[in-house]
Amino acid sequence: MDSNVFHRHCHSQLPTAVAGDGVYLIDQSGKRYMDACGGAAVSCLGHNHPDIKAALKSQVDQLSYAHSAFFTSQAAEQLAEKLTRLAPGNLNHAYFVSGGSEAVESALKLARQYFVEKGELSRKRFVARRQSYHGNTLGALAVGGNEWRKEPFTPLLMEHLYISPCYPYRDQRDGETLYEYGQRVANELEEIILQEGADSIIGFIAEPVVGATSGVLTPVDGYFKRIREICDQYGILLILDEVMCGMGRTGTLFAHEQEGITADIVTVAKGLGAGYQPIGAMLASDEIYNTVSEGSGFFQHGHTYMAHSAATATALEVLNVFERERLIPKAWATGNDLGRKLKEAFSDSPFIGDIRGRGLFWGLEIVQDRTTKAPFPVTSAIHKKIKQAAMGHGLMCYPMGGTIDGKNGHHILLAPPYIISAEQVDELVLKLKKAVNSVLPSEYTAIMPQAGSN
């Protein structure tokens, strides 16, 4: 069928979603798909939640839009109060935008303006991690470490600095404890600061739990505490990107709560609106806000739909539902159950090298050889085939390529809604195993030398 929509891929033949029912989406033929990835870790409350729909309708009936240069709204004020009250540390100022890339772009610009207000004009670069992802706008793309996404646009991007990810499955050395490994890779931040000069660096940006680029890399104990120490020692900002891993996804409202640290700026999106409205937020510390407030008084930035009334009303109700239904503790408990069942289901698979996660956020790294950890060839396109097979079984998961370095490696990301039941967890694991087993044995046979061949 011809389409005038400019789809992600020009040759996609996509089913048409017509309805949602809890953890399922339904296409035009009536086929049901379990949404085991929340789209892209977005639909944390599933589809068709009555309380969210009612809150959105009530707000639209009252007021849909008023430009933020002229008015504030009750919904935006209430959301800001609640979100900042629940945030760790002194992140007492919320700047509402329409999604994750806008939130990160806002964070980068605010971080630079903070130092401009202080007269530290030489600070112009950020440090990030390889195999990170922070969004698709030019600033967010530039600071990310996903080389595949950046490559076509490199001439348009500012240069930044990069250190290693916290990726023990690939990079921990023989004889090195997890703690020692974490300290070693964290100390790369200090090394690059000393090399480049602290007065040239604005901040360090990282996802507390890395999402789609590397397949749910969780930090080892002590890693982020050391990162925080280094930032404090050299006077650079710590910016945490929780667009994918935040808002309860890892079992606490903010993912970095589990690291025992505070941040200077945090970005959130995805689960904040649960898919019912496009919304993101940048949370800034008192120190940063007060520096701007007592200086120029004006953050030189803005978006047409920032602090949108319908979006902020929806997000406020999402937070209320989290509390009423006790969904974040449930995400932690159900996530532990999901992790255990994934490990049981794939314990004998020669193709699943690592299963890692936290809360309802899990990644399975696919390998050609479990002993050597060798990945499948890039040309195998394993991730695309698993996605197609899973859809055939009525399962939405999030397979990706380039896990290791932006080119090599494959993984599957899972981020189901927090409302998922124990029975549905079993259904998820069963369908995923069927999809993986339908693809990988044939791929393995196709690429391995046959007996007797030279």
Side-chain angles (χ1 to χ4, degrees), residues 263-286:
D264 301 300
I265 299 176
V266 172
T267 60
V268 295
K270 296 188 185 292
L272 178 62
Y276 291 84
Q277 282 282 281
I279 188 170
M282 173 191 67
L283 305 183
S285 69
D286 288 336

Side-chain angles (χ1 to χ4, degrees), residues 217-238:
L217 294 181
T218 57
V220 301
D221 287 345
Y223 171 82
F224 271 109
K225 286 186 177 179
R226 179 61 185 141
I227 291 290
R228 178 75 266 185
E229 289 173 357
I230 295 168
C231 290
D232 289 341
Q233 181 177 351
Y234 295 98
I236 70 174
L237 299 178
L238 176 58

Side-chain angles (χ1 to χ4, degrees), residues 68-148:
S68 60
F70 298 91
F71 296 96
T72 187
S73 70
Q74 185 179 39
E77 295 293 337
Q78 290 178 342
L79 176 61
E81 188 282 326
K82 189 177 188 87
L83 191 59
T84 58
R85 174 166 45 83
L86 294 172
N90 61 357
L91 296 167
N92 291 321
H93 308 275
Y95 188 91
F96 296 117
V97 291
S98 298
S101 294
E102 283 188 10
V104 171
E105 200 83 9
S106 303
L108 301 178
K109 291 175 76 174
L110 180 62
R112 165 63 183 176
Q113 186 172 332
Y114 165 73
F115 285 113
V116 170
E117 300 273 358
K118 295 179 69 176
E120 299 182 34
L121 304 183
S122 62
R123 294 183 185 262
K124 60 184 180 181
R125 289 194 290 181
F126 293 90
V127 182
R129 299 189 293 186
R130 292 187 292 277
Q131 283 305 91
S132 60
Y133 178 64
H134 299 293
N136 258 331
T137 51
L138 289 178
L141 188 64
V143 81
N146 187 310
E147 295 304 320
W148 173 78

Side-chain angles (χ1 to χ4, degrees), residues 203-265:
F204 175 69
I205 182 169
E207 302 160 270
V209 179
V210 181
T213 295
S214 294
V216 194
L217 294 181
T218 57
V220 301
D221 287 345
Y223 171 82
F224 271 109
K225 286 186 177 179
R226 179 61 185 141
I227 291 290
R228 178 75 266 185
E229 289 173 357
I230 295 168
C231 290
D232 289 341
Q233 181 177 351
Y234 295 98
I236 70 174
L237 299 178
L238 176 58
I239 304 169
L240 296 180
D241 177 356
E242 298 204 4
V243 166
M244 184 170 266
C245 64
M247 296 295 96
R249 174 56 57 192
T250 63
T252 49
L253 185 63
F254 291 86
H256 71 280
E257 292 179 54
Q258 298 175 46
E259 305 309 314
I261 61 167
T262 58
D264 301 300
I265 299 176

Side-chain angles (χ1 to χ4, degrees), residues 10-194:
C10 296
H11 306 297
S12 294
Q13 296 294 320
L14 299 172
T16 300
V18 298
D21 178 21
V23 301
Y24 300 94
L25 282 169
I26 303 164
D27 73 11
Q28 76 278 16
S29 71
K31 183 173 179 177
R32 295 167 68 86
Y33 303 81
M34 173 178 279
D35 189 356
C37 55
V42 173
S43 300
C44 56
L45 296 180
H47 306 277
N48 213 24
H49 195 291
D51 293 350
I52 306 300
K53 292 195 302 179
L56 175 57
K57 182 178 185 302
S58 175
Q59 181 61 47
V60 171
D61 285 345
Q62 178 183 349
L63 171 70
S64 57
Y65 173 73
H67 194 282
S68 60
F70 298 91
F71 296 96
T72 187
S73 70
Q74 185 179 39
E77 295 293 337
Q78 290 178 342
L79 176 61
E81 188 282 326
K82 189 177 188 87
L83 191 59
T84 58
R85 174 166 45 83
L86 294 172
N90 61 357
L91 296 167
N92 291 321
H93 308 275
Y95 188 91
F96 296 117
V97 291
S98 298
S101 294
E102 283 188 10
V104 171
E105 200 83 9
S106 303
L108 301 178
K109 291 175 76 174
L110 180 62
R112 165 63 183 176
Q113 186 172 332
Y114 165 73
F115 285 113
V116 170
E117 300 273 358
K118 295 179 69 176
E120 299 182 34
L121 304 183
S122 62
R123 294 183 185 262
K124 60 184 180 181
R125 289 194 290 181
F126 293 90
V127 182
R129 299 189 293 186
R130 292 187 292 277
Q131 283 305 91
S132 60
Y133 178 64
H134 299 293
N136 258 331
T137 51
L138 289 178
L141 188 64
V143 81
N146 187 310
E147 295 304 320
W148 173 78
R149 293 179 188 263
K150 292 167 64 171
E151 185 177 7
F153 312 105
T154 299
L156 308 180
L157 305 179
M158 292 181 62
E159 292 186 5
H160 297 293
L161 306 166
Y162 299 92
I163 63 173
S164 299
C166 188
Y167 194 175
Y169 175 68
R170 290 282 170 187
D171 299 335
Q172 184 181 4
R173 295 171 180 168
D174 292 341
E176 188 176 49
T177 67
L178 279 175
Y179 179 81
E180 290 168 342
Y181 164 73
Q183 297 299 291
R184 173 169 63 82
V185 292
N187 283 331
E188 289 185 21
L189 177 57
E190 182 175 39
E191 293 166 9
I192 207 164
I193 291 170
L194 293 174

Side-chain angles (χ1 to χ4, degrees), residues 170-421:
R170 290 282 170 187
D171 299 335
Q172 184 181 4
R173 295 171 180 168
D174 292 341
E176 188 176 49
T177 67
L178 279 175
Y179 179 81
E180 290 168 342
Y181 164 73
Q183 297 299 291
R184 173 169 63 82
V185 292
N187 283 331
E188 289 185 21
L189 177 57
E190 182 175 39
E191 293 166 9
I192 207 164
I193 291 170
L194 293 174
Q195 175 184 317
E196 301 293 329
D199 61 356
S200 71
I201 296 172
I202 297 170
F204 175 69
I205 182 169
E207 302 160 270
V209 179
V210 181
T213 295
S214 294
V216 194
L217 294 181
T218 57
V220 301
D221 287 345
Y223 171 82
F224 271 109
K225 286 186 177 179
R226 179 61 185 141
I227 291 290
R228 178 75 266 185
E229 289 173 357
I230 295 168
C231 290
D232 289 341
Q233 181 177 351
Y234 295 98
I236 70 174
L237 299 178
L238 176 58
I239 304 169
L240 296 180
D241 177 356
E242 298 204 4
V243 166
M244 184 170 266
C245 64
M247 296 295 96
R249 174 56 57 192
T250 63
T252 49
L253 185 63
F254 291 86
H256 71 280
E257 292 179 54
Q258 298 175 46
E259 305 309 314
I261 61 167
T262 58
D264 301 300
I265 299 176
V266 172
T267 60
V268 295
K270 296 188 185 292
L272 178 62
Y276 291 84
Q277 282 282 281
I279 188 170
M282 173 191 67
L283 305 183
S285 69
D286 288 336
E287 163 66 18
I288 293 174
Y289 177 84
N290 291 339
T291 298
V292 175
S293 177
E294 296 165 9
S296 68
F298 172 64
F299 178 27
Q300 195 170 328
H301 185 55
H303 293 281
T304 299
Y305 289 105
M306 60 182 287
H308 190 277
S309 301
T312 50
T314 300
L316 178 62
E317 185 61 17
V318 168
L319 296 181
N320 291 338
V321 169
F322 285 171
E323 291 180 342
R324 284 199 304 272
E325 299 184 13
R326 293 188 51 79
L327 287 178
I328 294 178
K330 182 176 185 293
W332 177 261
T334 307
N336 288 338
D337 187 43
L338 173 59
R340 177 179 58 81
K341 289 177 177 178
L342 287 169
K343 291 173 182 177
E344 290 174 355
F346 292 99
S347 62
D348 59 350
S349 171
F351 310 114
I352 304 300
D354 192 29
I355 300 175
R356 51 193 180 241
R358 185 179 288 178
L360 278 172
F361 202 31
W362 286 87
L364 296 82
E365 184 160 342
I366 302 164
V367 294
Q368 178 177 315
D369 186 299
R370 198 167 176 174
T371 302
T372 65
K373 304 180 184 178
F376 280 92
V378 175
T379 54
S380 67
I382 290 290
H383 57 297
K384 296 178 182 178
K385 293 171 183 175
I386 289 177
K387 180 180 178 180
Q388 184 178 15
M391 287 288 282
H393 287 288
L395 180 73
M396 294 165 56
C397 60
Y398 203 119
M400 289 284 288
T403 310
I404 301 168
D405 55 13
K407 183 178 180 180
N408 296 287
H410 304 86
H411 67 265
I412 302 165
L413 182 145
L414 300 171
Y418 309 162
I419 61 171
I420 191 170
S421 68

